[in-house]
Amino acid sequence: MSIFLDANTTVEVQGATGKEGAYWLKHMKEMGTMVVFGVTPGKEGQKIEGVPVFSSVRRGMKQHAADLAMLFVPPRFTKDAIFEALDAGITKIVSIAEGVPVHELLQIRRAALSCGAMVIGGNTSGVISPGRALAGCIPYWIERVYRQGDIGVMTRSGSLTNEVTAEIVKGGFGVSTLIGVGGDMVPGTRFAELLPLYENDPETRAVVIIGELGGSMEEEVAEAMQAKIFTKPMVAFIGGRTAPEGRRMGHAGAIVSGGRGSVSGKVAALEKAGALTAAKPSQVGPLLREITAAR
Amino acid sequence: MKLFEFQAKEAFAEQGIPIPAGMVATNREEVLKAVKGTGLPCMIKAQVLRGGRGKAGLIKRALSEAEAVEKAEGLFNSEYNVRKVLVEAAVDIDRELYMAVTYDPVDARAMFIACAEGGVEIEKLAAEHPDTIVTVTVDMDWGLMPHHVRDLTFGLGLEGETAKAVGDVARKLFKVFRDTGAELAEINPLFIVKSGGVIAGDGKLNIDDCVAGGKYPVTREYFDSDTEYEAALEGIPYIPFDGDIALMCGGAGLTTTVYDLVHYAGGSVAAYVEFGGPNYTRARDAMRLCLKKTCKVLLVVTFGTIARADVMATGLVEAIRELKPAMPIVTCIRGTNEEEAFATLRAAGIEPLYETEEAVQRAVAIAAGRNA
């Protein structure tokens, strides 16, 4: 088992014939992901890596049912591409694009909530269930980083994810499913919304979150733990403990966040909820050993 | 992108939000000309992007032309790098409100925040008496509807003509927020004037960087230093600090982590330059920015996926050949095709490190003058 994505998840790839789309479609297939069709307007009838290409998601869905839409689409076309997948009835969407305007991100998340769909991203490297399937651009072939196991990982970061995940493997563990919720101001899916999935996944024994300065996603995780929505062991790494405060958004930012957003506040909230927090990536492995041995 | 007060007020005025009579001035003559327009008494407001201008003494009141000139020159000569002042007619105030439009990332809607008491103490008030803050969320696809405005004005306890005038400002402020692609449009304070009606006393407008470029091009005046301006033109994130080690790292998350690790190890950071994401092929430009700041060692840490390690290593070696940096370079470049990256670095006589903490220890030791 895993969450969101496994070896039986059927995937359609939007932007399949572009440089990035084609490169990662090949890797997704090589890893064993069930890619059923690709979408590039005007390229219907072509094949890429043996996968048929259609001019629209609906046209592809008439012949192949896809559970998940993987978007390699530039930011200015991303909103339309996500709504196209939603219109075709797809409820799992992963979008990597960085640079989608905030107002469009609001519309995307609101539409996903209304449709009961889950949009992962944007500004992310995607989702991987090591050994089974990949939706995104994650170098699964680097064995010291991506090994199958029983640790769920949620992250807001890219490069830091490779860094921390390597420490999970070094600690003797592997990953059930890693989900990059992305670095946008309005992520399509928030950390706390993934917790019930990890909670119900028998293969996930503990979860590591890789957080950052700003926003309130880490505090929401702490609240979910306090409310017993998530009861498995949790280790958190949050970078920026010594960094100067990030950008401020007038008085409104402070009022909205209600004092949340600082690294020290996040660490305190998570520790109070029972998570162990790492000051350095290299502590993540040992802390995982400690917290999984204790239960 | 944060705009100056005068730019925010221009955007407000375009939608018909009342603002005080005023004019931007950059020197003594322009101040005199502006005062003729605004009349006396007038306010002299430094156009700088930092918050808390009132407390820092960057907003002055003048009763005569001579005083206006004197106060403006005081601001131009202050330590705050003031290039422009906004000269405005002083307003006869009855009371002050707070009104802002921003967004709620959880609810995924635009959000009005308002309070019957405006002014500089708004954050304290919000923390101590959250019940005094009125919030109304607005779906971006629905747009602002009459019931939203009613929730706002009744929530503020307003009646009659004042409620009507504030509601009108709310509609126009939402239009500013929407049309400019803002992350924040804030009026604090929103003056209720003794003679009736409302006037925006101050204006904040933060535009989403993704959409700002067209109407608000990047110019020198938004930045504290030439290098920061240059970095912004290049599209490379750059933050200067006062320490010894220049960080050329990939990804904001990894960079803040390296920043932490440098501090834990007893070192200090000279500058941070983003060498990842869309900039991973631009080693030369990134290194050029790094070298603008005096530093004792250059620390390169990456763990990229799309930002391939082999491409970054090749770029780094070429940049070193071209720019010939005088200080030692410590590298820890990993990720996609890292074996090729290590080979490239070794061939150029650079020892490729593999562990971030080891690289940080090495850089801190070099900066401290110890042989690593």
Side-chain angles (χ1 to χ4, degrees):
Chain A
M1 282 279 290
S2 52
I3 70 164
F4 197 77
L5 172 68
D6 65 27
N8 300 317
T9 308
T10 52
V11 176
E12 60 95 356
V13 176
Q14 288 167 252
T17 60
K19 192 177 146 212
E20 220 145 78
Y23 179 81
W24 287 103
L25 187 152
K26 177 168 172 282
H27 280 302
M28 283 165 57
K29 278 209 69 170
E30 273 176 15
M31 198 189 140
T33 314
M34 293 244 299
V35 181
V36 291
F37 66 93
V39 175
T40 300
K43 301 258 171 105
E44 189 157 319
Q46 294 187 9
K47 285 203 167 185
I48 181 149
E49 301 297 327
V51 172
V53 176
F54 293 86
S55 280
S56 77
V57 178
R58 278 190 173 152
R59 294 177 68 83
M61 288 290 272
K62 280 185 188 156
Q63 296 186 36
H64 311 272
D67 305 319
L68 187 151
M70 177 66 229
L71 274 63
F72 295 99
V73 172
R76 67 182 186 283
F77 305 131
T78 292
K79 181 179 140 186
D80 182 45
I82 289 177
F83 279 57
E84 182 180 2
L86 290 173
D87 266 342
I90 298 175
T91 55
K92 292 177 181 179
I93 300 171
V94 179
S95 171
I96 62 163
E98 176 178 1
V100 177
V102 171
H103 289 197
E104 291 186 9
L105 295 175
L106 292 170
Q107 292 172 305
I108 289 166
R109 177 166 157 84
R110 188 103 292 279
L113 290 172
S114 306
C115 297
M118 203 172 238
V119 173
I120 303 292
N123 192 5
T124 175
S125 18
V127 179
I128 185 169
S129 297
R132 285 148 297 179
L134 165 68
C137 33
I138 295 174
Y140 63 88
W141 55 87
I142 306 181
E143 284 175 14
R144 68 185 170 95
V145 185
Y146 294 98
R147 184 183 296 166
Q148 186 170 346
D150 55 12
I151 307 298
V153 180
M154 302 190 286
T155 174
R156 290 168 67 177
S157 187
S159 301
L160 182 58
T161 304
N162 291 335
E163 180 86 32
V164 173
T165 310
E167 297 294 341
I168 292 173
V169 171
K170 206 188 281 175
F173 297 91
V175 169
S176 56
T177 302
L178 178 148
I179 298 193
V181 302
D184 278 337
M185 301 293 278
V186 185
T189 300
R190 304 177 67 80
F191 279 164
E193 292 163 339
L194 296 169
L195 287 175
L197 277 63
Y198 284 118
E199 179 75 9
N200 292 326
D201 176 26
E203 198 188 281
T204 298
R205 186 165 151 214
V207 167
V208 170
I209 69 169
I210 305 168
E212 274 178 28
L213 185 72
S216 61
M217 283 205 291
E218 295 80 2
E219 289 87 339
E220 290 156 29
V221 166
E223 284 159 18
M225 291 174 73
Q226 297 277 19
K228 307 288 175 210
I229 289 166
F230 183 78
T231 60
K232 293 180 180 180
M234 163 86 66
V235 171
F237 173 78
I238 301 165
R241 289 190 189 209
T242 67
E245 284 288 321
R247 63 177 192 163
R248 252 177 76 89
M249 293 231 311
H251 294 293
I255 297 170
V256 175
S257 67
R260 304 196 285 187
S262 76
V263 176
S264 56
K266 290 173 190 295
V267 167
L270 285 163
E271 284 182 347
K272 194 173 166 216
L276 297 183
T277 65
K280 300 175 178 184
S282 61
Q283 292 168 349
V284 169
L287 286 178
L288 269 177
R289 276 202 297 276
E290 187 186 323
I291 200 165
T292 51
R295 301 239 185 150
Chain B
M1 173 183 208
K2 284 185 185 171
L3 299 185
F4 293 104
E5 177 193 2
F6 76 90
Q7 293 174 302
K9 282 184 169 163
E10 277 169 18
F12 292 173
E14 267 174 40
Q15 295 297 347
I17 296 174
I19 58 171
M23 195 184 270
V24 173
T26 59
N27 57 40
R28 180 193 171 88
E29 288 69 38
E30 287 176 6
V31 170
L32 281 170
K33 193 177 155 207
V35 174
K36 297 256 187 307
T38 61
L40 291 162
C42 68
M43 306 301 292
I44 314 285
K45 307 177 83 179
Q47 296 301 290
V48 292
L49 294 174
R50 72 198 302 279
R53 286 182 303 167
K55 283 178 184 165
L58 292 169
I59 296 176
K60 310 274 190 195
R61 188 181 165 93
L63 296 170
S64 68
E65 283 187 5
E67 196 185 0
V69 168
E70 182 200 322
K71 297 243 160 104
E73 288 192 327
L75 291 173
F76 288 135
N77 296 326
S78 72
E79 63 191 294
Y80 296 106
N81 195 17
V82 178
R83 290 152 189 250
K84 288 180 178 160
V85 296
L86 178 61
V87 182
E88 276 188 345
V91 179
D92 206 3
I93 306 161
D94 181 37
R95 53 188 285 221
E96 300 182 344
L97 305 181
Y98 174 89
M99 190 191 291
V101 189
T102 181
Y103 60 91
D104 178 349
V106 182
D107 190 48
R109 291 182 170 105
M111 178 163 66
F112 271 93
I113 302 173
C115 182
E117 293 172 55
V120 290
E121 300 298 335
I122 183 76
E123 282 178 41
K124 201 172 153 218
L125 189 67
E128 287 170 8
H129 302 283
D131 50 312
T132 60
I133 303 292
V134 180
T135 58
V136 177
T137 56
V138 182
D139 190 311
M140 293 300 288
D141 288 322
W142 297 14
L144 187 69
M145 299 168 84
H147 73 272
H148 294 127
V149 178
R150 286 196 297 272
D151 259 339
L152 199 64
T153 52
F154 282 112
L156 290 170
L158 303 174
E159 291 173 348
E161 288 305 307
T162 308
K164 229 167 125 184
V166 171
D168 191 47
V169 168
R171 273 187 292 274
K172 289 166 174 168
L173 192 64
F174 188 79
K175 203 151 187 317
V176 170
F177 175 80
R178 163 157 251 164
D179 291 359
T180 58
E183 294 176 346
L184 169 72
E186 181 180 82
I187 304 176
N188 184 37
L190 176 63
F191 295 137
I192 310 290
V193 191
K194 281 202 178 128
S195 56
V198 295
I199 291 184
D202 194 359
K204 268 205 184 69
L205 193 53
N206 297 0
I207 312 280
D208 182 354
D209 287 339
C210 301
V211 299
K215 192 163 182 198
Y216 300 102
V218 170
T219 56
R220 174 66 182 83
E221 61 187 344
Y222 294 103
F223 301 91
D224 289 335
S225 71
D226 289 336
T227 311
E228 283 163 274
Y229 172 46
E230 202 180 307
L233 286 179
E234 296 261 10
I236 300 179
Y238 168 84
I239 307 171
F241 298 100
D242 294 322
D244 296 328
I245 302 171
L247 305 182
M248 200 169 135
C249 297
L254 183 56
T255 305
T256 37
T257 301
V258 171
Y259 186 100
D260 282 347
L261 293 172
V262 166
H263 281 256
Y264 294 154
S268 61
V269 173
Y272 147 53
V273 176
E274 171 69 47
F275 174 43
N279 294 317
Y280 80 104
T281 56
R282 303 177 64 194
R284 190 183 40 128
D285 298 330
M287 189 181 289
R288 218 166 32 75
L289 286 169
C290 274
L291 298 179
K292 298 250 174 183
K293 200 97 171 63
T294 328
C295 66
K296 292 181 180 165
V297 54
L298 196 59
L299 174 59
V300 185
V301 181
T302 70
F303 210 141
T305 300
I306 299 176
R308 277 160 44 193
D310 56 331
V311 174
M312 297 173 93
T314 305
L316 186 75
V317 168
E318 283 167 8
I320 293 170
R321 209 168 285 151
E322 195 179 322
L323 300 171
K324 300 183 178 60
M327 70 290 293
I329 297 176
V330 178
T331 72
C332 188
I333 298 178
R334 298 141 306 158
T336 308
N337 300 344
E338 61 187 17
E339 295 303 329
E340 289 93 317
F342 297 159
T344 303
L345 292 168
R346 279 196 200 98
I350 300 167
E351 182 192 355
L353 297 181
Y354 191 75
E355 299 287 346
T356 301
E357 284 181 41
E358 186 191 359
V360 168
Q361 297 283 357
R362 179 84 58 98
V364 170
I366 295 170
R370 298 194 299 269
N371 284 329

